Amino acid sequence: GAGVSQSPRYKVTKRGQDVALRCDPISGHVSLYWYRQALGQGPEFLTNFNYEAQQDKSGLPNDRFSAERPEGSISTLTIQRTEQRDSAMYRCASSLVGDYEQYFGPGTRLTVT
Amino acid sequence: DAKTTQPPSMDCAEGRAANLPCNHSTISGNEYVYWYRQIHSQGPQYIIHGLKNNETNEMASLIITEDRKSSTLILPHATLRDTAVYYCIVRVGGTGGFKTIFGAGTRLFVKA
């Protein structure tokens, strides 16, 4: 079956622009996670959802970052007024409720120039 | 902050067992130990998890000490394709949707 998909795979944007990153989880997966990963480092938790409810957003760096999952399926991570320090790989993962295994998508490579 | 401590890197000869240690001295009673690995630029891949009993699957074995303060991931016959960064994570399991903290992991180099 289809895995977790993310779009776009690559995004280059100018400083100050807003970007929206999309995650389409595996069908039936209730839990969804967003991570950010800098080169050479482990994934950094940003936020997560159970169904449409955002459970923990303590990892979002500041109020320029927000995420939603309005219908409990596709999720969008939005970064407003992007800065160069936002450049990173943004990864999405999903899992079944009661399941322990997170399935990761291919990621979106964001470059802010 | 990560609740685990892992060595930054390890080497292993191809065909030999790779034993990757992890310390998690502050683990709580309802927290599980999970292992993931990340090969090159791919997304992390789940390997195995456990609560207090030793676990084995087709990929690896997980040995958890009786006091649960440390664990070891064992790849019984390492291949070149096992070269990756291995992450040990502790988190609450069960109903899903819990915050997951990856640390820096252990970079395993499997050499021919």
Side-chain angles (χ1 to χ4, degrees), chain A residues 31 33 35 37 41-43 45 48-50 55-56 58-59 89 91 97-102 104-105, chain B residues 32 34 36 38 41-44 46 49 87 91 93-104 107:
Chain A
S31 298
Y33 308 78
Y35 297 88
Q37 188 168 21
Q41 297 184 20
F45 173 88
N48 67 331
F49 293 83
N50 258 6
Q55 281 207 310
D56 189 328
S58 62
M89 176 71 82
R91 297 194 185 272
V97 170
D99 195 60
Y100 306 91
E101 177 176 357
Q102 293 181 33
F104 281 79
Chain B
Y32 288 69
Y34 297 78
Y36 283 75
Q38 189 168 25
S41 59
Q42 298 176 22
Y46 167 86
H49 76 278
Y87 298 100
R91 55 161 274 187
T95 56
F98 287 96
K99 184 174 184 175
T100 304
I101 306 297
F102 287 76
R107 188 170 295 275

Side-chain angles (χ1 to χ4, degrees), chain B residues 21-61:
Chain B
C22 180
N23 286 321
H24 32 79
S25 59
T26 61
I27 192 169
S28 301
N30 62 347
E31 289 183 317
Y32 288 69
V33 180
Y34 297 78
W35 284 84
Y36 283 75
R37 74 178 182 183
Q38 189 168 25
I39 297 173
H40 194 44
S41 59
Q42 298 176 22
Q45 174 192 23
Y46 167 86
I47 301 173
I48 198 168
H49 76 278
L51 183 61
K52 53 184 177 182
N53 296 323
N54 298 337
E55 302 288 344
T56 296
N57 62 21
E58 66 278 3
M59 290 182 68
S61 295

Side-chain angles (χ1 to χ4, degrees), chain A residues 46-63:
Chain A
L46 295 177
T47 187
N48 67 331
F49 293 83
N50 258 6
Y51 299 96
E52 71 281 1
Q54 191 169 19
Q55 281 207 310
D56 189 328
K57 54 182 180 180
S58 62
L60 296 175
N62 51 60
D63 59 9

Side-chain angles (χ1 to χ4, degrees), chain A residues 86-99:
Chain A
D86 299 333
S87 296
M89 176 71 82
Y90 288 82
R91 297 194 185 272
C92 172
S94 69
S95 71
L96 292 166
V97 170
D99 195 60

Side-chain angles (χ1 to χ4, degrees), chain B residues 9-20 37 75-86 106-112:
Chain B
S9 67
M10 293 182 62
D11 289 345
C12 178
E14 188 179 21
R16 305 296 293 269
N19 298 292
L20 292 94
R37 74 178 182 183
L75 308 179
H77 305 287
T79 71
L80 298 178
R81 288 175 294 182
D82 292 322
T83 292
V85 178
Y86 288 78
T106 296
R107 188 170 295 275
L108 175 69
F109 296 94
V110 181
K111 301 182 177 181

